[in-house]
Every structure is written in structure tokens, then in C-alpha cells.
Amino acid sequence: MLFPEGVAIDGRTGAVKPETGRYAKRLSELRGLFQDGDALERVVAEKSDPIVYEVVDYRKKESDLCFGTTIMSPGRVGNEYYMTRGHFHLRRECGEAYYTQSGEGVLLLESRTGESRVVEMLPGVCAFIPPEWAHRSINTGADKLVFVWFCATDAGHDYGEILKRGMRKIIIEQDGRRVVADNPNFGR
Ligand SMILES: [Fe+2]
């Protein structure tokens, strides 16, 4: 039987106590995700294969609900900000919520029918992710971006489609500003 408990979440570091698991994604594991493959290799070499993001979870398989944090490092590959892989949920009826705690970024979403949306990720903003929308978070700030996510335990991740074709929009830095641009390599 499961018992209730309070889980302490540190909005600055993303620490979850108690936590049930975690993983980190280093830049070398994100080859193919960014527009500029040469720039990626340069950053991997210069910064000793930095961690782009970490995910810490509180997940009880006997429960339908789980939550956790994602901690994203600041950084860019060429003019493209650090981002997560992006995914649809395997269980198509499952949505999610991302509650930003610190830092600044954007949540890039794309529906199955090809519509794109951007939702600001700022402290205090809870982003609603409806079912059937792929989602990717992007750290556009100078500090860590930390957010809490809440999801169905068995929602599942379908990374393949986004990895294969990319998303229709990219988030880039242009003249010191954050810009939403069309992805010139979409579908390639
Ligand atoms: Fe998700």
C-alpha cells in the first residue's frame, strides 16, 4: 500500500526529497538534435561534454500520478539554445503540466496536425500541455531553468518522431535576442 508524504522540491536546484530516480543528458547524447553539428562537437570538446539537462523524479508505479523536476543548464550550440529532446506521449490521452520555478525559457509545442505554439517558461507560470502535443523545453536564459512536471505515471515517451524529423520551429539567439524561427531542416 502506498502512503501519503510530503516531497520537498527545491525550486533553485531542482532537488527532490525523497527522489525515486534521475538521469542526466549530456550534449554528446543529443547529436543530431541541433542545426549545427560542428558547433556541437566544439562545445562537447571545449566544455568536456556538458550536462544539458537532468530529470529527477518521484514516481510510484502503483500510482497513476507522478511528478519530478527538470534542471536545464544554460548554453547554446551555435545560435541555438540548449533544449530537451522533445516528445509525444505514448498514451495519447495524456497531458502534462510544467510549473517553472526558476530561470527563463520557452516551451515549444507542436500538435499532431502541425500547429506550433510557444509558452513562456517563467517562475510562477504553470504551462498546460494538452494531449497530442509534442513538447520540448528550451533554456533561453543565463541561469539554470528549473521546472516541476506532473504527469500520468504510464504516459510514456515517444521521442522517435521528433528525433527523426525535428520540430517545425527552432529557438535561436539573433542579435542578442531570442527568436522563434522556421526550422530549415524540418523533415530532413
Ligand atoms: Fe511529457
Short mmCIF file of all heavy atoms in Angstrom, two decimals, residues 8 24 27 38-40 43 84 86 116 120 124 129 133 157-158 160 165 167 169 176 178 181-182 185:
data_model
loop_
_atom_site.label_atom_id
_atom_site.label_comp_id
_atom_site.label_asym_id
_atom_site.label_seq_id
_atom_site.Cartn_x
_atom_site.Cartn_y
_atom_site.Cartn_z
N ALA A 8 9.78 17.39 -0.69
CA ALA A 8 10.38 18.73 -0.73
C ALA A 8 11.04 18.96 -2.09
O ALA A 8 11.88 18.15 -2.52
CB ALA A 8 11.41 18.87 0.38
N ALA A 24 20.67 12.05 -16.42
CA ALA A 24 21.24 13.26 -17.00
C ALA A 24 21.47 13.03 -18.48
O ALA A 24 21.79 11.92 -18.91
CB ALA A 24 22.56 13.60 -16.31
N LEU A 27 25.61 16.54 -23.72
CA LEU A 27 25.48 17.08 -25.08
C LEU A 27 25.79 16.02 -26.15
O LEU A 27 25.14 15.98 -27.19
CB LEU A 27 26.39 18.31 -25.24
CG LEU A 27 26.22 19.11 -26.52
CD1 LEU A 27 24.77 19.55 -26.72
CD2 LEU A 27 27.14 20.31 -26.52
N ASP A 38 28.76 20.68 -36.28
CA ASP A 38 30.16 21.03 -35.99
C ASP A 38 30.25 21.83 -34.69
O ASP A 38 31.16 21.61 -33.89
CB ASP A 38 30.76 21.84 -37.14
CG ASP A 38 30.87 21.02 -38.42
OD1 ASP A 38 30.90 19.78 -38.31
OD2 ASP A 38 30.92 21.62 -39.51
N ALA A 39 29.30 22.75 -34.53
CA ALA A 39 29.29 23.55 -33.29
C ALA A 39 29.08 22.64 -32.09
O ALA A 39 29.70 22.83 -31.04
CB ALA A 39 28.20 24.61 -33.36
N LEU A 40 28.23 21.63 -32.24
CA LEU A 40 28.01 20.69 -31.13
C LEU A 40 29.31 20.00 -30.74
O LEU A 40 29.65 19.93 -29.55
CB LEU A 40 26.94 19.66 -31.51
CG LEU A 40 26.56 18.67 -30.40
CD1 LEU A 40 25.07 18.35 -30.41
CD2 LEU A 40 27.36 17.37 -30.48
N VAL A 43 31.52 22.34 -28.74
CA VAL A 43 31.11 22.54 -27.35
C VAL A 43 31.40 21.28 -26.52
O VAL A 43 31.85 21.37 -25.38
CB VAL A 43 29.61 22.90 -27.27
CG1 VAL A 43 29.17 23.07 -25.81
CG2 VAL A 43 29.31 24.18 -28.04
N THR A 84 15.65 20.19 -24.67
CA THR A 84 15.41 18.77 -24.42
C THR A 84 15.07 18.09 -25.75
O THR A 84 14.81 18.76 -26.74
CB THR A 84 14.25 18.56 -23.42
OG1 THR A 84 13.06 19.16 -23.95
CG2 THR A 84 14.58 19.18 -22.07
N GLY A 86 12.45 16.45 -26.70
CA GLY A 86 11.08 16.68 -27.17
C GLY A 86 10.38 15.35 -27.42
O GLY A 86 10.99 14.41 -27.93
N SER A 116 2.15 24.96 -34.35
CA SER A 116 3.19 25.25 -33.36
C SER A 116 2.70 26.29 -32.37
O SER A 116 1.96 27.20 -32.73
CB SER A 116 4.44 25.80 -34.06
OG SER A 116 4.99 24.82 -34.92
N GLU A 120 5.70 30.78 -22.63
CA GLU A 120 6.81 31.29 -21.82
C GLU A 120 6.99 30.43 -20.58
O GLU A 120 6.01 30.05 -19.93
CB GLU A 120 6.52 32.73 -21.38
CG GLU A 120 6.34 33.72 -22.52
CD GLU A 120 7.64 34.00 -23.26
OE1 GLU A 120 8.71 33.94 -22.64
OE2 GLU A 120 7.55 34.28 -24.46
N GLY A 124 6.62 30.85 -11.66
CA GLY A 124 5.22 31.07 -11.33
C GLY A 124 4.26 30.73 -12.44
O GLY A 124 3.06 30.67 -12.22
N ILE A 129 0.02 21.43 -20.96
CA ILE A 129 0.36 20.70 -22.18
C ILE A 129 -0.78 19.74 -22.47
O ILE A 129 -0.95 18.74 -21.77
CB ILE A 129 1.68 19.92 -22.00
CG1 ILE A 129 2.82 20.87 -21.63
CG2 ILE A 129 2.01 19.10 -23.25
CD1 ILE A 129 4.07 20.18 -21.13
N TRP A 133 0.09 16.93 -28.10
CA TRP A 133 1.04 17.99 -28.45
C TRP A 133 2.44 17.55 -28.02
O TRP A 133 2.68 17.29 -26.85
CB TRP A 133 0.70 19.30 -27.74
CG TRP A 133 -0.47 20.02 -28.32
CD1 TRP A 133 -1.79 19.71 -28.15
CD2 TRP A 133 -0.44 21.17 -29.19
NE1 TRP A 133 -2.59 20.59 -28.84
CE2 TRP A 133 -1.78 21.49 -29.48
CE3 TRP A 133 0.58 21.95 -29.72
CZ2 TRP A 133 -2.12 22.57 -30.31
CZ3 TRP A 133 0.24 23.03 -30.54
CH2 TRP A 133 -1.10 23.33 -30.83
N HIS A 157 6.96 7.92 -23.25
CA HIS A 157 7.61 8.92 -24.09
C HIS A 157 7.83 8.37 -25.49
O HIS A 157 8.40 7.30 -25.65
CB HIS A 157 8.97 9.31 -23.52
CG HIS A 157 8.89 9.96 -22.18
ND1 HIS A 157 8.91 9.25 -21.01
CD2 HIS A 157 8.78 11.26 -21.83
CE1 HIS A 157 8.81 10.09 -19.98
NE2 HIS A 157 8.73 11.31 -20.46
N ASP A 158 7.38 9.11 -26.47
CA ASP A 158 7.68 8.78 -27.86
C ASP A 158 8.64 9.87 -28.36
O ASP A 158 8.22 10.95 -28.75
CB ASP A 158 6.38 8.77 -28.67
CG ASP A 158 6.67 8.68 -30.18
OD1 ASP A 158 7.83 8.42 -30.56
OD2 ASP A 158 5.73 8.89 -30.96
N GLY A 160 10.92 9.23 -30.79
CA GLY A 160 11.37 8.89 -32.13
C GLY A 160 10.96 9.85 -33.21
O GLY A 160 11.77 10.23 -34.07
N ARG A 165 12.48 13.83 -37.45
CA ARG A 165 12.14 14.92 -38.38
C ARG A 165 12.35 16.31 -37.81
O ARG A 165 12.25 17.31 -38.52
CB ARG A 165 10.68 14.79 -38.81
CG ARG A 165 9.67 14.86 -37.66
CD ARG A 165 8.27 15.06 -38.21
NE ARG A 165 7.24 14.96 -37.20
CZ ARG A 165 6.92 15.93 -36.35
NH1 ARG A 165 7.61 17.04 -36.35
NH2 ARG A 165 5.95 15.76 -35.48
N MET A 167 11.41 19.57 -35.11
CA MET A 167 10.16 20.31 -34.92
C MET A 167 10.12 21.44 -35.95
O MET A 167 11.15 21.84 -36.48
CB MET A 167 10.06 20.85 -33.48
CG MET A 167 9.90 19.72 -32.46
SD MET A 167 9.76 20.27 -30.73
CE MET A 167 8.02 20.74 -30.65
N LYS A 169 9.57 24.55 -35.66
CA LYS A 169 10.17 25.81 -35.21
C LYS A 169 11.45 25.53 -34.42
O LYS A 169 11.58 24.48 -33.78
CB LYS A 169 9.19 26.58 -34.31
CG LYS A 169 7.88 26.95 -34.99
CD LYS A 169 8.06 28.04 -36.04
CE LYS A 169 6.71 28.39 -36.69
NZ LYS A 169 6.90 29.33 -37.82
N GLY A 176 21.45 39.13 -30.03
CA GLY A 176 21.24 39.22 -28.58
C GLY A 176 19.80 38.99 -28.13
O GLY A 176 19.49 39.14 -26.96
N ARG A 178 16.10 36.54 -28.33
CA ARG A 178 15.52 35.23 -28.58
C ARG A 178 14.51 35.33 -29.72
O ARG A 178 13.64 36.19 -29.70
CB ARG A 178 14.81 34.77 -27.30
CG ARG A 178 14.24 33.40 -27.38
CD ARG A 178 13.32 33.17 -26.21
NE ARG A 178 11.97 33.62 -26.51
CZ ARG A 178 11.05 33.87 -25.59
NH1 ARG A 178 11.35 33.76 -24.31
NH2 ARG A 178 9.85 34.24 -25.93
N ALA A 181 12.11 30.82 -35.01
CA ALA A 181 12.32 30.79 -36.46
C ALA A 181 11.83 29.47 -37.04
O ALA A 181 11.66 28.48 -36.32
CB ALA A 181 13.82 30.96 -36.76
N ASP A 182 11.61 29.46 -38.35
CA ASP A 182 11.27 28.21 -39.03
C ASP A 182 12.51 27.33 -39.06
O ASP A 182 13.63 27.82 -39.24
CB ASP A 182 10.80 28.49 -40.47
CG ASP A 182 9.43 29.12 -40.48
OD1 ASP A 182 8.61 28.83 -39.56
OD2 ASP A 182 9.14 29.92 -41.39
N ASN A 185 15.71 22.69 -41.55
CA ASN A 185 15.96 21.25 -41.76
C ASN A 185 14.78 20.38 -41.38
O ASN A 185 14.92 19.16 -41.28
CB ASN A 185 17.20 20.82 -40.95
CG ASN A 185 18.46 21.43 -41.51
OD1 ASN A 185 18.68 21.39 -42.71
ND2 ASN A 185 19.28 22.00 -40.65
#
